Amino acid sequence: MMSGVNVAVFGATGAVGVEMVKVLEERSLSVNGLRLLASRGERTMKWRGGEVPVEAVGPSSFEGIDIALFAVEGDVSREWAPVAARSGAVVIDNSSAFRMDPDVPLVVPEINPEDIAAHKGIIANPNCSTIIALIALAPIHRAVGIKRLVASTYQAVSGAGKAGLDELERQTRDYAQGKPLSVSAFQYQIAFNLIPHIDAFGEDDYTKEELKMRNESRKILHAPDLRVSCTCVRVPVMRSHSEALTIETERAISPEEAREILRGAPGVKVGDAADEKKYPMPLDTADHSLS
Ligand SMILES: NC(=O)c1ccc[n+]([C@@H]2O[C@H](COP(=O)([O-])OP(=O)(O)OC[C@H]3O[C@@H](n4cnc5c(N)ncnc54)[C@H](OP(=O)(O)O)[C@@H]3O)[C@@H](O)[C@H]2O)c1
């Protein structure tokens, strides 16, 4: 474990940034100094019983920083990640800006931590749906080889950031009060609806969100020939994405063998027992850490 590091959270006021600050408080990483960055200052955030000012990002924001956690949109990451890396910080970027860059490792700590060694100042964090899928699939891939994945996702509005969370809450409240619903964060009304459209449409009419599952899975698992078809759907759930994953394996594997592998896998909790009406649900998994 590293000790006594200076950490910056860039995008600290957003949906992901707020969670990062919370997790930093919970974990054992020894943080000497915490710098909170966003588009503007004039705000504070709670940290270890006190308050830390939010600062507007600028050319000297990353001086003296060891680890810079980026939770901003891709174009903002593209602008500032090289600045932070030149200042000597290691950037861990949550956006899609650098994920497929061959010079940038794409890492899930439970799966391919060894890839970090090749970093040149920037490490990318995968798409949220890809992380969730691979945490469960990587141990099975290692055991029996996965040839093909058919994935369906049920993605919470939290994936669209603070604007997405606010929109579902507002539309639900307005609906209950008989008021007209306004739409801004999503393409259509999300309350009492499903929207099979996350990010822009790309090749073969898959959305970019669906293509991320294919491209990022191949990179993380070092499996360039993995066949992936993914359907991503936004659902009116506040937090916690759900997924159905169907796989074809090189070697046959029984459900019990798969459960056994998953019981010992880092970051996985096996929670299905149909005869006891037990299965994973977003209300039970939101805001839970397994480590
Ligand atoms: N939400 C998720 O579940 C999720 C999951 C995985 C990855 N991601 C990725 O993580 C990133 C952040 O997502 P989010 O959902 O947290 O977004 P968000 O809630 O909209 O937060 C955006 C953050 O970026 C800051 N910001 C916006 N424009 C800026 C600019 N021009 N210069 C400096 N700071 C700026 C905002 O600061 P202000 O308060 O000053 O506006 C805010 O702190 C995105 O790349 C997203 O794709 C999100």
Side-chain angles (χ1 to χ4, degrees):
M1 191 183 70
M2 295 179 82
S3 66
V5 287
N6 292 317
V7 176
V9 177
F10 181 25
T13 52
V16 173
V18 165
E19 294 299 319
M20 282 177 169
V21 173
K22 209 163 91 183
V23 172
L24 275 175
E25 254 187 339
E26 290 165 8
R27 297 287 170 106
S28 54
L29 182 76
S30 164
V31 178
N32 271 348
L34 179 69
R35 194 170 296 161
L36 303 178
L37 302 166
S39 70
R40 58 183 180 85
E42 299 132 18
R43 292 165 285 180
T44 60
M45 290 175 67
K46 289 196 169 26
W47 169 252
R48 290 182 177 163
E51 302 272 332
V52 175
V54 176
E55 300 169 42
V57 71
S60 57
S61 290
F62 301 97
E63 280 168 15
I65 295 295
D66 300 301
I67 299 174
L69 302 175
F70 271 46
V72 288
E73 287 304 322
D75 50 350
V76 182
S77 280
R78 246 176 246 113
E79 181 181 353
W80 290 101
V83 175
R86 273 197 303 275
S87 299
V90 175
V91 174
I92 301 175
D93 183 44
N94 259 273
S95 80
S96 56
F98 300 101
R99 288 178 191 153
M100 299 313 297
D101 184 329
D103 281 339
V104 174
L106 181 62
V107 176
V108 180
E110 290 86 347
I111 301 173
N112 60 334
E114 64 285 351
D115 287 353
I116 291 172
H119 85 80
K120 296 174 180 167
I122 303 174
I123 298 165
N125 188 41
N127 171 259
C128 41
S129 298
T130 309
I131 299 175
I132 298 166
L134 295 191
I135 286 275
L137 294 179
I140 294 175
H141 179 61
R142 268 184 225 116
V144 292
I146 295 176
K147 284 196 288 197
R148 187 207 303 257
L149 162 65
V150 179
S152 304
T153 73
Y154 314 87
Q155 298 186 212
V157 296
S158 61
K162 195 172 173 320
L165 289 160
D166 292 348
E167 184 137 321
L168 177 57
E169 199 179 314
R170 191 188 64 247
Q171 288 183 351
T172 308
R173 208 177 34 239
D174 288 349
Y175 181 87
Q177 295 173 357
K179 292 183 186 164
L181 308 190
S182 64
V183 171
S184 63
F186 301 104
Q187 301 85 346
Y188 297 96
Q189 173 187 328
I190 184 63
F192 314 104
N193 197 14
L194 304 173
I195 305 176
H197 179 182
I198 303 177
D199 207 336
F201 279 93
E203 68 185 75
D204 289 338
D205 285 347
Y206 280 103
T207 59
K208 287 187 181 170
E209 187 79 357
E210 292 162 346
L211 295 170
K212 286 172 202 165
M213 179 76 88
R214 181 191 72 189
N215 299 336
E216 296 179 18
S217 295
R218 288 175 175 171
K219 182 168 175 178
I220 295 160
L221 295 177
H222 302 269
D225 299 325
L226 181 68
R227 297 170 70 188
V228 179
S229 180
C230 181
T231 304
C232 291
V233 182
R234 184 76 68 199
V235 298
V237 162
M238 277 296 180
R239 290 171 193 278
S240 207
H241 298 353
S242 304
E243 302 185 346
L245 308 171
T246 304
I247 52 172
E248 187 182 334
T249 55
E250 304 278 356
R251 180 171 81 66
I253 179 171
S254 68
E256 200 35 55
E257 201 183 335
R259 280 194 195 94
E260 207 40 55
I261 290 169
L262 291 175
R263 275 191 199 102
V268 180
K269 186 173 172 190
V270 177
D272 69 321
D275 49 349
E276 297 169 46
K277 276 203 283 186
K278 280 193 183 155
Y279 26 72
M281 291 188 291
L283 281 183
D284 297 332
T285 54
D287 220 9
H288 280 253
S289 164
L290 292 178
S291 31

